[in-house]
Amino acid sequence: MDEPDFKLPLGVLVLVVLGAAGWYFWDDIFAPPEPETPPSQPAPAQPAADAGPRNPVPESEGLRTPEGELVPLPPLDDSDSYFLIEVANAFGDAVEELLVREDVIDRLVTSIDNLPRDAIPDRIRPVGTLDESFKPDQGEGDRLLLGITSYARYDALVAYIYYADIDKVYDIYQRFYPLFQTAYERLGYPDAYFNDRLIEVIDHLLATPMPAGPLELRRPNVLYEFADPGLESLSSGQKLLLRMGPDNAATLKRKLEKFRARLVQG
């Protein structure tokens, strides 16, 4: 798990939850060491190139100005300001301000693709830090617990997700989808479809086990780990859900299920 502060791979509120796969907090004191290998490697079970998308996203007409005029999407490398405006309109300035200001869609796509893996390298995370640092709860004796004190730090941002309009979130996703696809191809998947990968990642997150009660931690060095080897071996995305606590995780899972239904339905 790595050092103070929270970080949130929006990769899952803005997309999956934009109201969807993402607002997951990332807590540096739990972040695993950054791998030496590239942050994203093509998954072995990608669909064949000639199979086509399993869940196609309807073609976007482009963006509309405040006056209602239809304009084409900007190139991916020039899209940050346009996308941040849409996020602010959907979630409010407080959420939009958490995002980095450069390469937003590239970072979101890369973070989402890495959620089923062991780590999300710091340099690709799409958000900055939150102020409140992590402190474990104290159990009997010297036991360290991940419990109510830590879970409460996630309440405010989970509330943003809870009240997010899934249809509005999907509308943003559909309008900007060509740029998400371009970012995914740029990542090293020229023959794969990002929407299919997003659905796979959501399914992976929905399969996260949720043990009852506080979770025991250990701190063999500077970093915290789950004392249960089975939990410690989970992916970065699944451990993020565990750190949010059962109630917050349940809220996120319900939102993810609704967003998944829109992704499949198109």
Side-chain angles (χ1 to χ4, degrees):
M1 294 180 195
D2 214 39
E3 264 294 48
D5 300 15
F6 265 173
K7 293 186 181 176
L8 175 140
L10 267 204
V12 203
L13 176 115
V14 168
L15 272 199
V16 169
V17 181
L18 216 43
W23 313 95
Y24 292 110
F25 294 79
W26 187 269
D27 214 329
D28 275 344
I29 53 171
F30 284 101
E34 185 171 319
E36 296 180 2
T37 54
S40 183
Q41 299 292 332
Q46 290 294 337
D50 60 355
R54 298 189 299 276
N55 300 282
V57 175
E59 186 174 347
S60 170
E61 296 181 350
L63 302 179
R64 289 195 178 276
T65 66
E67 295 76 29
E69 180 184 356
L70 194 64
V71 296
L73 278 174
L76 175 59
D77 291 334
D78 298 326
S79 65
D80 291 327
S81 60
Y82 297 89
F83 187 68
L84 289 169
I85 288 171
E86 294 286 356
V87 173
N89 289 339
F91 293 100
D93 293 339
V95 170
E96 183 268 341
E97 289 171 2
L98 289 173
L99 285 165
V100 296
R101 317 321 283 174
E102 296 180 349
D103 304 323
V104 182
I105 290 177
D106 277 311
R107 288 170 184 260
L108 286 171
V109 167
T110 308
S111 293
I112 289 170
D113 186 53
N114 275 271
L115 284 172
R117 300 188 173 96
D118 292 337
I120 299 177
D122 185 74
R123 66 179 178 273
I124 68 169
R125 292 178 195 158
V127 300
T129 62
L130 297 180
D131 294 333
E132 194 175 358
S133 59
F134 171 80
K135 293 179 182 178
D137 288 344
Q138 194 72 41
E140 295 181 6
D142 295 329
R143 292 177 67 213
L144 300 175
L145 303 176
L146 184 70
I148 295 175
T149 301
S150 178
Y151 301 158
R153 299 182 304 159
Y154 296 88
D155 291 348
L157 284 181
V158 171
Y160 281 112
I161 300 172
Y162 177 79
Y163 289 108
D165 184 326
I166 287 294
D167 289 331
K168 182 183 289 187
V169 170
Y170 181 80
D171 184 50
I172 295 172
Y173 177 62
Q174 180 189 352
R175 290 203 305 274
F176 281 87
Y177 184 77
L179 304 187
F180 286 113
Q181 179 63 31
T182 298
Y184 193 51
E185 292 173 7
R186 198 188 260 183
L187 203 56
Y189 304 96
D191 299 318
Y193 198 64
F194 177 66
N195 196 55
D196 291 337
R197 176 59 172 165
L198 179 56
I199 291 170
E200 291 174 359
V201 172
I202 292 174
D203 288 341
H204 174 78
L205 295 173
L206 291 175
T208 303
M210 296 305 300
L215 303 178
E216 187 169 355
L217 304 174
R218 57 189 294 267
R219 196 177 193 182
N221 43 55
V222 177
L223 310 180
Y224 290 91
E225 298 177 352
F226 291 106
D228 183 336
L231 299 182
E232 184 58 30
S233 68
L234 295 176
S235 70
S236 59
Q238 290 181 330
K239 285 194 281 192
L240 284 169
L241 271 177
L242 288 181
R243 289 181 210 124
M244 302 176 78
D247 292 340
N248 285 330
T251 297
L252 253 186
K253 283 187 173 185
R254 286 193 295 271
K255 209 71 175 182
L256 287 173
E257 287 171 345
K258 291 180 180 178
F259 192 67
R260 186 192 188 285
R262 290 295 280 117
L263 294 175
V264 172
Q265 179 183 16

